[in-house]
Amino acid sequence: MKIRTRFAPSPTGFMHVGNLRTALYEYLIAKHEGGDFVLRIEDTDQDRYVEGATDVIYNTLKLAGLKHDEGPDIGGDFGPYVQSERLSLYKPYAEQLVASGHAYYCFCTKERLEQLHESGAVGYDRHCRDLSAEEIEADLKAGLPYVIRQKMPLTGETTYNDLVYGDITVPNEDLDDQILLKADGFPTYNFANVIDDHTMGITHVVRGSEYLSSTPKYNELYRAFGWDIPTYIHLPLIMGKTVNEDGTETISKLSKRHGSTGFMDLVNEGFLPEAVINYIALLGWAPSDNREIFSLEELTKVFDINGISKSPSVFDYDKLEWVNAEHIKAMDLETFTAHAKPYYDMYGITADKYQLLDEILKPRITRFTQLEEKLSFLGNLNDYEPALFEHKKSKSTIESSKNMLEAAISILDKVEWTREGITDALMQFAQSNEIKNSVIMWPVRIAAAGVAVTPGGCAEVLMLLGKDESMRRIKIGYDKIKEL
């Protein structure tokens, strides 16, 4: 049997990382076995529909690399792939269940249901479940609005198997007679979900563990129609961590209060799509060898359902940052430069500097958005305080810096302007004067960059600035402190 999974988001806004993890696992489960990954848009809840949200879904999947085999944009043998375009499909199935005794017409008014809720009742009281055929016919002839409800078993238990959580048993008395078809003719999410999964040949249903207790309702529908029940794979919750004022930590379901939870928000903050995908794959799943860095292609090869955990996972932004940094470090020069070039262009960096920047920046950044700050010294020279020349660890003082900058101006004016030439000349001066290399290199770097933290050391800073600009800045630095 060919595995077919589906990602069925609702177009209600941004793509939450929890939704994206579901899509990722569905993709991996299908592709690991050479199966199909289907995209279906579930837009039956018109009240929550957000204009443009469908494009967000398409763009997110494309950017994440999760290419679907069938969907609204590319078609397929099981379309339409948008629920609002399948509306004519659902009512006949609902009426089929009424005819077979597995569902019933409910004529309860909105006011009655509100009174029922206000009275403290839990769920629907099944008021219309046992109406006589005559009563039903009279109400239909009178044109009374109705919904169609599923007739759930009232006693006993329902058990089903999930590949992650094992056998799940739910008392039937806890199962509400849910609405299948609303008064406006639209199907409910639960009903349309089952009809679409069956008619699209979906073999494996992957979703969050919050659906564990309601899955028996789905299974009763499959049984009522005489259809095969799909394989279920429920995923653990993704939690967020909050550090309280007293230093303790509170763990709760991931939400915006924990930070960015949308895929595009994370990308806009500088996280690579492939790193986000890598990280969220580890939120609830672990490979057998405890490896942590993967490409999507590698994930597809090694993904195993047996590695999915039952326990909730905590979204750790520091760990995401680390994963992102590892993906940056693994880039070749061409790929790194493509990501960094907008920042290079910002400071007029030419191609002859790309190799040097690749070497000094890759180990030092965790996100490309950090490049603007790290390269900012290449812009206008900061009006820095002379105190920057003082550095205990480097044995640098303002007094020693005066002498070092005066000597450096003379030395650097004559050297070959290469990393080796600059470094060798300054180190030879330090050696001949029996001082630490840092005694001369610290003030030269500070004078040239105007900031304490730079990408790379003294020679790298001077190479990036070029000889003329470096000499100009070093002279400014010398003038800044020589009268102190």
Side-chain angles (χ1 to χ4, degrees):
M1 177 185 67
K2 188 175 186 179
I3 289 180
R4 285 175 59 83
T5 63
R6 50 73 175 160
F7 180 48
S10 298
T12 56
F14 73 108
M15 181 75 78
H16 187 275
V17 293
N19 293 337
L20 186 59
R21 184 193 63 172
T22 299
L24 173 61
Y25 282 18
E26 288 166 335
Y27 175 89
L28 295 174
I29 288 167
K31 293 306 173 183
H32 181 72
E33 299 293 342
D36 293 330
F37 173 60
V38 178
L39 173 64
R40 184 173 75 226
I41 303 298
E42 300 195 337
D43 62 345
T44 55
D45 190 347
Q46 294 293 301
D47 291 337
R48 297 178 62 223
Y49 177 80
V50 174
E51 191 69 36
T54 301
D55 289 333
V56 171
I57 294 168
Y58 291 143
N59 294 337
T60 298
L61 292 180
K62 182 178 180 180
L63 198 56
L66 305 183
K67 185 178 179 180
H68 49 284
D69 300 287
E70 303 168 26
D73 52 338
I74 58 176
D77 294 334
F78 298 88
Y81 293 90
V82 178
Q83 280 188 340
S84 60
E85 297 174 11
R86 300 168 61 86
L87 288 181
S88 62
L89 184 69
Y90 306 114
K91 187 173 183 179
Y93 278 113
E95 291 178 335
Q96 180 182 331
L97 291 177
V98 173
S100 65
H102 293 95
Y104 58 95
Y105 295 108
C106 174
F107 300 94
C108 289
T109 63
K110 181 180 179 182
E111 291 72 23
R112 182 184 185 279
L113 294 175
E114 288 176 352
Q115 290 174 1
L116 187 65
H117 177 72
E118 291 170 0
S119 70
V122 178
Y124 178 59
D125 63 357
R126 299 184 169 95
H127 175 76
C128 294
R129 179 170 171 138
D130 297 315
L131 292 178
S132 67
E134 292 76 19
E135 288 175 297
I136 294 171
E137 185 178 359
D139 288 342
L140 290 174
K141 281 185 177 180
L144 296 184
Y146 65 86
V147 300
I148 293 179
R149 290 184 180 271
Q150 183 178 0
K151 188 179 288 187
M152 298 301 302
L154 302 178
T155 58
E157 297 176 332
T158 296
T159 299
Y160 70 96
N161 181 264
D162 178 81
L163 291 190
V164 175
Y165 290 87
D167 286 341
I168 304 294
T169 300
V170 177
N172 288 332
E173 64 184 22
D174 293 345
L175 303 177
D176 187 31
D177 281 8
Q178 65 178 346
I179 295 174
L180 303 179
L181 199 72
K182 295 180 283 188
D184 59 6
F186 273 73
T188 57
Y189 168 84
N190 289 338
F191 185 54
N193 204 268
V194 169
I195 302 302
D196 290 340
D197 282 349
H198 173 74
T199 55
M200 290 183 176
I202 302 304
T203 62
H204 290 61
V205 172
V206 185
R207 58 189 177 211
S209 58
E210 63 268 28
Y211 289 98
L212 279 168
S213 61
S214 60
T215 295
K217 295 181 181 181
Y218 294 87
N219 289 349
E220 285 298 319
L221 288 172
Y222 282 104
R223 293 190 186 98
F225 285 117
W227 296 340
D228 290 338
I229 294 174
T231 298
Y232 289 110
I233 302 167
H234 286 86
L235 308 179
L237 289 173
I238 300 178
M239 311 298 283
K241 178 173 61 177
T242 303
V243 179
N244 304 314
E245 291 183 0
D246 61 0
T248 59
E249 295 180 351
T250 301
I251 304 297
S252 57
K253 189 173 181 180
L254 184 67
S255 66
K256 284 188 175 182
R257 70 176 177 275
H258 297 113
S260 295
T261 60
F263 175 73
M264 288 308 302
D265 290 335
L266 293 171
V267 170
N268 291 335
E269 288 179 11
F271 292 104
L272 299 165
E274 56 267 34
V276 177
I277 286 295
N278 182 165
Y279 178 62
I280 65 174
L282 303 175
L283 292 176
W285 172 82
S288 57
D289 60 0
N290 294 319
R291 180 181 169 190
E292 293 185 290
I293 302 302
F294 295 91
S295 65
L296 180 58
E297 183 180 1
E298 291 167 335
L299 282 170
T300 302
K301 290 178 181 178
V302 303
F303 192 82
D304 183 355
I305 294 172
N306 293 323
I308 300 177
S309 172
K310 298 178 184 178
S311 304
S313 53
V314 178
F315 194 100
D316 185 335
Y317 292 91
D318 292 336
K319 185 62 176 286
L320 172 60
E321 195 105 20
W322 176 81
V323 170
N324 204 63
E326 292 300 304
H327 277 266
I328 291 173
K329 289 175 187 175
M331 288 179 174
D332 57 29
L333 172 61
E334 184 179 0
T335 305
F336 184 86
T337 301
H339 284 280
K341 197 170 185 307
Y343 302 96
Y344 293 170
D345 292 346
M346 192 182 299
Y347 293 105
I349 296 172
T350 51
D352 59 307
K353 305 283 195 343
Y354 291 172
Q355 179 72 52
L356 172 62
L357 286 165
D358 177 86
E359 182 181 327
I360 65 177
L361 290 173
K362 271 204 297 189
R364 291 177 170 86
I365 64 170
T366 58
R367 286 180 274 162
F368 279 97
T369 48
Q370 296 165 349
L371 290 182
E372 183 172 359
E373 180 181 358
K374 289 189 178 296
L375 297 174
S376 62
F377 74 93
L378 296 172
N380 294 326
L381 181 64
N382 287 336
D383 184 19
Y384 57 91
E385 292 297 323
L388 274 181
F389 288 103
E390 297 185 304
H391 193 253
K392 189 174 182 181
K393 186 177 180 181
S394 299
K395 307 289 186 183
S396 178
T397 65
I398 288 183
E399 193 58 38
S400 69
S401 294
K402 293 177 187 178
N403 299 326
M404 294 302 104
L405 291 182
E406 185 176 15
I409 291 170
S410 177
I411 294 167
L412 294 172
D413 190 45
K414 303 168 185 174
V415 302
E416 179 184 3
W417 206 259
T418 63
R419 291 171 78 185
E420 295 75 15
I422 293 168
T423 301
D424 289 347
L426 295 179
M427 288 177 65
Q428 286 174 12
F429 175 85
Q431 185 177 1
S432 63
N433 287 274
E434 298 183 343
I435 58 175
K436 291 178 63 176
N437 295 334
S438 60
V439 174
I440 187 168
M441 289 189 176
W442 177 271
V444 170
R445 187 173 64 83
I446 292 299
V451 292
V453 180
T454 55
C458 178
E460 289 78 16
V461 167
L462 299 187
M463 285 297 298
L464 291 172
L465 286 167
K467 184 171 184 177
D468 291 345
E469 180 64 10
S470 294
M471 296 303 294
R472 185 184 76 83
R473 291 186 178 201
I474 292 170
K475 290 172 184 176
I476 291 174
Y478 175 63
D479 290 340
K480 185 182 285 284
I481 62 171
K482 71 179 180 179
E483 302 300 333
L484 295 179

